[in-house]
Amino acid sequence: MNLEMKDKLEALLREGAAKIQGAQTEAELQEVKGALLGKQGSITELLKEIPKLDVALRPEMGKAVNNVKNLLAEQIEGRREEIKLKASEISPDFDCTIPGIEPKIGGLHPITQMCYDLNDAFRSMGFEVFSGPEITSEYYAFDNLNFPPNHPARESMDTYWLEGHDSGEANDKLCLRPHLTGDSVRYMQTHKPPYRFVYPGRVYRNETTDARHERAFFQYEALIVDKDFTYTAGKVMIKSILSKVFGQDVPVRMRAGFFPFVEPGFEIDMGCLVCGGKGCSVCKHVGWIEIMPGGTPHPNVLRAAGLDPDEYTGFYVNIGLDRLVMMRYGVDDVRLFHSTDLRFLKQFR
């Protein structure tokens, strides 16, 4: 064997082994591997010298270089396992007998949970869940819903008009949606009848807050449009949904009411669950609380959606989602649910 080549191999093996053991991380070990076994590494340089040797010495030297290469590769893999094991070791200062810190567990906001429960209830009855934009136009918020031009809901005292977009007509005027009902027309304009869908979301009203009212609150609307749908079926639907959500029979009554987008219209009340119908501040001591308007879509609303009111009818309900949550938990002030007081909210996890 060529003595000079033999000395180079022995020196490379010693130096390589020292570098491998000196690597403290996998990244450092990878650098050592490249310097020894890579395309520009020391072993590759030695292999390039073999063709320069005497022909008789080439097989022996080639075998010797490959043996060193294999030895270094084995040492590298062995060191890699050592580094991995060391990284997974528990520090000697760690006391396994000390109790751990319990992770903080969050939960759904009670209004969100109620929305999900209603989604499940309506889906079980074949409804689709739909959502629309929170910024809308006068065209969808009022014009399509049969609101007369001078209706007070259009005024700034009731509706949040966007600065710079608070003049003009129809689609020129933009506002934060004051109700969800305009989204129903959006849906009907882009889908084919019959319809059976719900559309939950936040709405905005410029009004004074109190125990039953907020400026930004949640509604949950449902709409059925078909060629044959009766009021009785609508009432059964409402009672079924409320009973399923609350897990008990819920008294329901329908009173005549006026809303521009329905004809005829109803005020729909449920028995107050806070006081059990005996009378409290939430129900104004009458035992009933108004939770939704409802009724048959007005012919002008159906026309705005591109439907023939002589052919189609249906049933709207606009559920006050916040009030349902008040009923579920017996809370008499809706403002608590919109607060950021974790002492209150953590009760519902």
Side-chain angles (χ1 to χ4, degrees):
M1 179 183 291
N2 184 284
L3 292 178
E4 182 181 357
M5 181 71 76
K6 181 180 177 182
D7 291 340
K8 286 183 178 181
L9 281 173
E10 291 176 351
L12 177 59
L13 189 58
R14 288 194 305 271
E15 293 172 3
K19 290 179 179 180
I20 291 169
Q21 289 303 312
Q24 300 300 313
T25 65
E26 287 196 64
E28 291 179 3
L29 186 62
Q30 192 62 29
E31 291 182 5
V32 171
K33 181 179 180 180
L36 293 174
L37 308 180
K39 291 183 178 180
Q40 305 297 326
S42 302
I43 290 293
T44 303
E45 294 300 318
L46 284 178
L47 289 172
K48 291 179 180 179
E49 294 184 17
I50 291 178
K52 302 176 184 177
L53 300 175
D54 186 89
V55 174
L57 297 175
R58 291 177 188 175
E60 184 182 1
M61 290 308 303
K63 183 178 179 180
V65 172
N66 281 320
N67 286 338
V68 171
K69 180 179 179 181
N70 292 335
L71 285 172
L72 290 175
E74 289 176 5
Q75 291 180 28
I76 288 171
E77 291 308 310
R79 182 57 180 164
R80 193 187 305 281
E81 291 301 316
E82 291 176 1
I83 292 173
K84 287 181 178 180
L85 288 173
K86 187 175 181 181
S88 64
E89 286 180 354
I90 297 176
S91 169
D93 299 328
F94 182 77
D95 187 351
C96 296
T97 64
I98 297 176
I101 299 174
E102 183 179 359
K104 294 183 179 180
I105 300 175
L108 291 175
H109 191 282
I111 294 177
T112 302
Q113 184 61 62
M114 176 62 80
C115 182
Y116 288 173
D117 291 346
L118 283 170
N119 285 348
D120 291 342
F122 275 105
R123 282 195 179 107
S124 70
M125 298 174 69
F127 282 72
E128 179 185 351
V129 179
F130 168 73
S131 62
E134 293 194 3
I135 294 178
T136 188
S137 65
E138 185 176 35
Y139 181 67
Y140 279 100
F142 299 108
D143 295 345
N144 281 343
L145 299 181
N146 196 45
F147 280 79
N150 59 348
H151 196 282
R154 296 177 184 254
E155 301 299 325
S156 59
M157 68 179 67
D158 287 325
T159 300
Y160 287 110
W161 295 101
L162 302 188
E163 186 176 359
H165 300 276
D166 53 358
S167 61
E169 297 180 355
N171 284 319
D172 295 331
K173 293 183 68 175
L174 301 180
C175 63
L176 296 178
R177 63 185 179 195
H179 46 234
L180 294 178
T181 316
D183 289 339
S184 64
V185 177
R186 291 181 189 273
Y187 181 95
M188 290 188 287
Q189 288 176 338
T190 55
H191 294 74
K192 293 182 179 180
Y195 308 115
R196 186 180 289 253
F197 63 98
V198 295
Y199 38 112
R202 193 195 297 267
V203 299
Y204 306 88
R205 301 270 179 85
N206 187 8
E207 60 183 38
T208 302
T209 62
D210 58 31
R212 299 176 63 193
H213 299 86
E214 265 286 0
R215 292 188 179 93
F217 56 97
F218 290 89
Q219 290 183 340
Y220 193 103
E221 292 208 8
L223 175 61
I224 294 176
V225 173
D226 210 329
K227 294 184 178 181
D228 186 18
F229 194 84
T230 64
Y231 301 131
T232 304
K235 185 175 181 179
V236 170
M237 176 190 74
I238 295 167
K239 191 171 179 62
S240 299
I241 290 295
L242 292 179
S243 297
K244 187 167 186 177
V245 167
F246 288 104
Q248 65 182 77
D249 182 62
V250 177
V252 173
R253 71 179 186 183
M254 299 172 67
R255 298 176 288 113
F258 172 77
F259 305 97
F261 48 88
V262 288
E263 179 59 42
F266 299 94
E267 297 274 11
I268 303 171
D269 305 331
M270 65 177 283
C272 182
L273 300 184
V274 175
C275 63
K278 297 177 181 179
C280 64
S281 60
V282 175
C283 62
K284 297 183 178 180
H285 304 284
V286 297
W288 295 89
I289 184 167
E290 177 192 338
I291 55 168
M292 63 184 89
T296 300
H298 194 284
N300 289 340
V301 175
L302 294 174
R303 291 189 184 97
L307 300 178
D308 183 355
D310 293 329
E311 184 178 2
Y312 287 95
T313 185
F315 199 81
Y316 261 125
V317 289
N318 184 331
I319 301 170
L321 193 57
D322 297 7
R323 293 186 183 179
L324 285 193
V325 179
M326 293 171 69
M327 293 293 100
R328 169 176 278 183
Y329 298 108
V331 176
D332 61 1
D333 194 330
V334 70
R335 292 169 293 189
L336 292 170
F337 291 108
H338 295 273
S339 73
T340 55
D341 190 339
L342 295 181
R343 295 172 301 175
F344 173 76
L345 296 175
K346 71 180 182 180
Q347 301 176 76
F348 307 102
R349 290 189 304 187

